[in-house]
Amino acid sequence: MDDEKYIRLCIDLAKNGAGFVSPNPLVGCVIVKDDRIIGQGYHKKYGDNHAEVNAIYSAKESLTDAVLYVNLEPCVHFGKTPPCVDKIIESGIKKVVIGTIDPNPLVAGKGIKKLSKSNVKVKFGVLEKECLELNKFFFKYIKTNIPYVNLKIAQSLDGYITSNANKSEIITSKESRKVVHKLRSEYDAVLIGVNTAIIDNPSLNVRLVEGRDPYRVVLDSNLRIRKNSNLVQNNKDCKTIIFCSYDALNSKKRYINYLQSKGVRIIPVRKNTKGLSLKEVLRKLGSLKIASLLVEGGSKIFSSFLQQNLWDEINIFLAPKILGDGLRSFSSVSKNKLINSISSCDVKFEKYENDIRIIFIKSKK
């Protein structure tokens, strides 16, 4: 059998759960017998059946002597659902081929061990790099309890995100903006600073593609966000979160009561010389089971995440425009610091209309 072929199919199936299973991993499963696919499934929603169970239930014939393919090691513990390993053993499947081991301490090789002890043959490490990339959010979150952080930047060729720091400006093409909305649907939360909230008055939802809306996070030390902002008034899903200082928490109780009446969650964090503590923000987002964070601005926010090395990925959407002056993407970062930060990254390029998307992924070396 072509193990890589079926693991690739598992990866493709798993992607259907993007945006719906977090903080759980994306998992797809295929069951093969006599070179025929007799069952397949994926993890569709957090708390629902896992991919292996869905694949087993989809089969219309006996699974005895079949081979099960899955991109991530089957679970062996009771969580929202019973252990997948037990279901596999009960089904009569003779072999399990796994993309990569699950780093969750509750699993971490225990699933493989239990399968082997039950006389089920196991092979793992098939397309491991691709399987790790698929679940980069999950692996970061399960190891650190903080979300995977992607800085998303739209800028001109000469490095500006706007020609006027006090004015909202669209730089990139509609196709690039659709890609950003797709990213929003896949990330658990989108974060901006209060200046961006005031100047742009964004909705931070998914409008140009199908998908679920993320949590909307604003860093607002002094609670300057306006009452009539979209993030406050259009919050029927109660997904707007504002991080403020403890000083604001104590001095603006009436305004906080108003924001909370609109379903806004107010979370205080400590301040330091650079503003609100980003490390504490990330820890508190992690405690809310937010495993991935798309940072959309502005310049000071980008600079702070970069300077404090609190990022995992940078996506720059480069538009074929020259603004000549304005606000730079990293206004508070020295040239040497910027070069050193991204010099050892893995880099990818994509094209949308006339825009170039440059993806910098922090090296794990």
Side-chain angles (χ1 to χ4, degrees):
M1 292 186 185
D2 188 341
D3 291 344
E4 290 191 359
K5 168 186 170 183
Y6 291 120
I7 290 295
R8 281 198 178 90
L9 181 54
C10 291
I11 292 172
D12 290 340
L13 285 168
K15 290 177 181 178
N16 291 318
F20 299 100
V21 303
S22 183
N24 282 353
L26 296 167
V27 183
C29 180
V30 175
I31 302 174
V32 178
K33 186 174 182 179
D34 299 327
D35 292 327
R36 295 177 296 112
I37 294 175
I38 63 171
Q40 61 183 31
Y42 66 95
H43 186 26
K44 296 181 179 180
K45 185 179 179 181
Y46 178 70
D48 285 359
N49 286 336
H50 289 184
E52 300 93 323
V53 174
N54 285 333
I56 288 171
Y57 285 160
S58 75
K60 303 301 182 184
E61 60 184 270
S62 170
L63 299 180
T64 301
D65 293 332
V67 179
L68 181 145
Y69 291 86
V70 65
N71 58 283
L72 187 70
E73 179 183 8
C75 66
V76 72
H77 63 291
F78 282 89
K80 293 285 184 181
T81 59
C84 292
V85 164
D86 292 352
K87 196 73 177 176
I88 293 170
I89 293 169
E90 292 169 7
S91 71
I93 287 170
K94 70 175 181 179
K95 183 178 180 181
V96 175
V97 179
I98 299 167
T100 188
I101 294 173
D102 189 337
N104 186 340
L106 296 173
V107 187
K110 297 182 181 71
I112 292 173
K113 187 175 181 180
K114 187 169 184 178
L115 287 169
S116 298
K117 282 189 173 182
S118 300
N119 296 317
V120 178
K121 294 180 181 179
V122 179
K123 178 180 179 180
F124 61 91
V126 178
L127 293 183
E128 185 170 25
K129 182 178 180 181
E130 290 85 344
C131 292
L132 290 170
E133 171 65 20
L134 173 70
N135 274 309
K136 59 189 179 184
F137 300 165
F138 172 73
F139 289 123
K140 167 74 180 292
Y141 179 72
I142 204 69
K143 292 176 181 177
T144 65
N145 292 317
I146 63 173
Y148 183 98
V149 177
N150 182 352
L151 310 184
K152 191 284 299 179
I153 303 166
Q155 69 174 49
S156 64
L157 281 175
D158 50 348
Y160 295 102
I161 58 177
T162 179
S163 59
N164 186 334
N166 296 310
K167 181 180 177 182
S168 177
E169 193 167 1
I170 295 175
I171 293 178
T172 53
S173 67
K174 184 174 181 179
E175 188 175 349
S176 290
R177 297 196 298 277
K178 286 176 70 174
V179 173
V180 171
H181 281 230
K182 181 71 163 55
L183 282 174
R184 286 181 185 173
S185 74
E186 295 171 351
Y187 278 72
D188 291 339
V190 176
L191 181 146
I192 60 172
V194 66
N195 288 335
T196 300
I198 292 171
I199 295 169
D200 292 356
N201 191 23
S203 295
L204 300 182
N205 56 14
V206 175
R207 302 182 302 280
L208 301 180
V209 299
E210 290 186 6
R212 69 96 166 92
D213 289 332
Y215 282 91
R216 303 169 291 275
V217 181
V218 184
L219 301 187
D220 186 3
S221 179
N222 297 313
L223 286 177
R224 295 192 294 119
I225 194 167
R226 292 171 178 164
K227 282 186 176 182
N228 63 352
S229 69
N230 288 325
L231 297 178
V232 173
Q233 297 301 323
N234 301 330
N235 187 41
K236 291 181 179 179
D237 58 5
C238 297
K239 282 190 168 185
T240 296
I241 301 171
I242 297 178
F243 285 93
C244 69
S245 67
Y246 282 97
D247 289 341
L249 186 70
N250 294 324
S251 64
K252 296 192 174 183
K253 292 182 179 179
R254 182 176 294 182
Y255 191 39
I256 288 173
N257 288 337
Y258 173 79
L259 293 172
Q260 290 175 333
S261 75
K262 291 295 184 178
V264 177
R265 185 180 304 205
I266 307 295
I267 302 177
V269 293
R270 293 175 294 104
K271 288 181 68 175
N272 53 38
T273 56
K274 299 173 183 176
L276 294 178
S277 170
L278 292 183
K279 290 183 179 179
E280 190 173 348
V281 167
L282 293 178
R283 285 197 299 269
K284 291 196 173 183
L285 287 176
S287 71
L288 297 176
K289 296 186 177 181
I290 290 174
S292 55
L293 181 66
L294 187 66
V295 178
E296 292 202 23
S299 178
K300 290 182 179 179
I301 299 293
F302 293 143
S303 299
S304 294
F305 273 95
L306 189 73
Q307 285 179 315
Q308 296 177 51
N309 198 30
L310 295 175
W311 61 277
D312 299 284
E313 185 174 331
I314 301 174
N315 281 213
I316 296 178
F317 289 80
L318 197 61
K321 297 178 180 179
I322 302 292
L323 298 185
D325 196 7
L327 187 63
R328 290 193 178 277
S329 305
F330 298 100
S331 60
S332 305
V333 181
S334 68
K335 181 179 178 181
N336 289 339
K337 178 74 174 179
L338 182 58
I339 292 172
N340 291 338
S341 296
I342 64 174
S343 60
S344 61
C345 288
D346 295 325
V347 184
K348 300 179 184 178
F349 299 90
E350 297 174 359
K351 187 173 183 294
Y352 302 103
E353 292 186 20
N354 290 324
D355 299 341
I356 300 296
R357 177 187 180 187
I358 310 172
I359 304 170
F360 300 91
I361 300 175
K362 185 183 289 184
S363 175
K364 300 297 186 296
K365 296 177 182 179

